[in-house]
């Protein structure tokens, strides 16, 4: 099996954007590396009295457009390369979304399921203390990512309050409601992906009505994408999680499936399913829309040729490898790229951050309406650039999204006198 280093893939995508925009090598030299990478070792007193030492990172990729912004991931396989790649993708995502943010990302190599709640709290607070000199409301604003949630954000916020002796609500986003968070943050990523897919469906078929959908990964992003796509007339016929997938040819009820997953641990126990399938089979189903919403590198040169969906909306970060994308482009499959399709989370984080700084400013209804409008506008901006400025037989939507995103960062770097 070919292994993919996400950082190498991220650099490849940057290289393509630099070539497309005709930019100089110095731009690549700046943008291919993080401005700063902090590695921390974190000793944690475990419940049994022993001490375990964890390793973590915060990568600050680029700050030309504003403070670094991006989540913190807790995962047993995360490493510096993954964190750097994710921070670079955040630079493009924030730039493309028109936010006043640069890109950052953090991670701790840990399996959080093996820690007690108190151990996780001590680890989270110690990590945030260790990076506290580099983060801040106007410096670097972390948020949740894989296996971190509003509770972890509350511990981060509190650790920062203790170190800095002040209540800086805007230092992290994705907080619980009682600590300055917003309800809409929970639905934001999946809802945003559904909006992007809906706008693409309008361009391709005039709308979503009756279009079939398969969703890989039924967590936060996958569930809400399925829920809103179904609500807007599409037929979700297959979903999966880490234990496998199911097919319901007449269309499933996303809330019912979610309930089954909550109660039994997996979507595979949904009684109305006519067939169980593997995650690999799900990707190759004959559907109109495929939503990869689980992990990186699931569409590779090994299976790209077998993908039958006409539209792919990337809820996950980096689900399609660059080599696979060449094949998809040749086949005429349209990929709404991750930096566009899953930007709902960070757009909502921006609304939360502004709300914190204004001391409470926006209602949940306004927040959701702003999010929907911004996702739809962002999609149209990329679509129009792709259709009007690029040769669509040669370049895909990702190329258009990268061109817009990199160009905005480069303009900011020029204005600041960096290049
Ligand atoms: P999550 O933990 O809530 O859900 C992940 C889901 O994927 C779970 O159902 C899990 O069972 C499933 N899964 C794990 N490994 C799998 C595998 N090998 N095959 C199939 N399914 C598998 O996570 P999430 O927050 O929904 O994030 C999913 C993806 O979306 C990640 O790539 C993440 O980076 C991206 N993303 C999430 C957000 C957000 O705000 N939640 C924002 C931007 C991007």
């Amino acid at each position: 099996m070919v292994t993919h280093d996400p950082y190498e893939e991220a650099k490849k995508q940057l290289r393509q954007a630099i070539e497309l925009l005709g930019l100089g090598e110095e731009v690549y030299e700046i943008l291919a590396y993080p401005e700063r990478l902090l590695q921390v070792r974190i000793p944690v007193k475990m419940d049994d009295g022993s001490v375990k030492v964890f390793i973590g990172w915060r990568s600050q990729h680029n700050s030309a457009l504003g403070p670094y912004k991006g989540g913190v991931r807790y995962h047993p396989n995360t490493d510096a390369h993954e964190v750097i790649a994710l921070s670079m993708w955040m630079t493009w995502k924030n730039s493309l979304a028109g936010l006043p943010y640069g890109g950052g990302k953090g991670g701790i190599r840990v399996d959080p399921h093996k820690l007690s709640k108190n151990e996780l709290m001590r680890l989270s607070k110690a990590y945030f203390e260790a990076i506290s000199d580099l983060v801040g409301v106007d410096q670097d604003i972390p948020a949740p990512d894989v296996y971190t949630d509003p509770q972890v954000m509350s511990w981060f916020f509190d650790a920062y309050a203790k170190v800095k002796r002040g209540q800086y609500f805007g230092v992290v986003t994705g907080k619980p409601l009682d600590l300055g968070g917003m309800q809409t943050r929970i639905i934001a990523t999946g809802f945003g992906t559904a909006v992007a897919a809906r706008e693409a469906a309008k361009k391709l078929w005039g709308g979503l009505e009756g279009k079939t959908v398969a969703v890989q990964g039924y967590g936060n992003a996958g569930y809400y994408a399925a829920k809103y796509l179904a609500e807007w007339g599409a037929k979700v016929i297959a979903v999966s999680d880490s234990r496998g997938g199911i097919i319901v040819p007449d269309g499933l009820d996303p809330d019912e499936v979610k309930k089954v997953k909550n109660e039994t641990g997996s979507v595979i126990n949904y009684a109305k399913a006519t067939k169980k399938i593997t995650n690999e089979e799900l990707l190759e189903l004959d559907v109109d829309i495929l939503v990869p919403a689980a992990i990186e590198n699931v569409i590779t040169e090994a299976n790209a040729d077998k993908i039958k969906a006409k539209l792919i909306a990337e809820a996950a970060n980096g689900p399609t490898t660059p080599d696979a994308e060449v094949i998809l482009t040749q086949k005429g499959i349209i990929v709404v790229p991750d930096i566009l399709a899953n930007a709902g989370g960070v757009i909502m984080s921006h609304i939360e951050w502004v709300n914190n700084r204004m001391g409470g400013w926006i209602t949940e209804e306004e927040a959701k309406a702003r999010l929907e409008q911004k996702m739809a506008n962002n999609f149209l901006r990329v679509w129009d650039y792709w259709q009007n400025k690029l040769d669509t037989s040669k370049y895909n939507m990702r190329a258009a999204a990268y061109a817009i995103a990199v160009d905005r960062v480069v303009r900011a770097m020029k204005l600041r006198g960096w290049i």
Side-chain angles (χ1 to χ4, degrees), residues 239-257:
V239 296
S240 69
D241 57 32
S242 56
R243 288 172 55 191
I246 48 161
I247 297 193
V248 185
D250 292 335
L252 52 81
D253 177 334
D255 287 329
E256 265 180 31
V257 177

Side-chain angles (χ1 to χ4, degrees), residues 44-52 54 114-115 119 122:
V44 176
K45 191 72 77 66
M46 306 305 277
D47 292 345
D48 65 4
S50 66
V51 172
K52 259 198 185 152
F54 296 88
K114 293 194 175 142
L115 268 59
E119 289 167 345
R122 290 194 287 274

Side-chain angles (χ1 to χ4, degrees), residues 182-249:
M182 299 199 73
Q183 196 74 44
T184 313
R185 178 67 183 82
I186 296 164
I187 66 162
T189 300
F191 173 73
T193 304
V195 173
R198 183 189 71 195
E199 296 306 308
K202 279 187 202 161
K203 294 285 182 194
L204 296 177
W205 309 299
L208 275 174
E209 202 55 47
K211 295 297 161 197
T212 52
V213 180
V215 180
Q216 184 190 49
Y218 211 61
N220 175 274
Y223 160 61
Y224 283 108
K227 180 180 166 67
Y228 285 100
L229 285 170
E231 217 171 284
W232 297 333
K235 202 157 75 167
V236 181
I237 64 154
V239 296
S240 69
D241 57 32
S242 56
R243 288 172 55 191
I246 48 161
I247 297 193
V248 185

Side-chain angles (χ1 to χ4, degrees), residues 398-416:
R398 193 185 314 275
Y402 266 68
I404 296 171
V406 172
D407 184 53
R408 181 168 172 240
V409 173
V410 169
R411 285 206 311 271
M413 294 202 301
K414 277 191 186 143
L415 286 167
R416 286 172 182 261

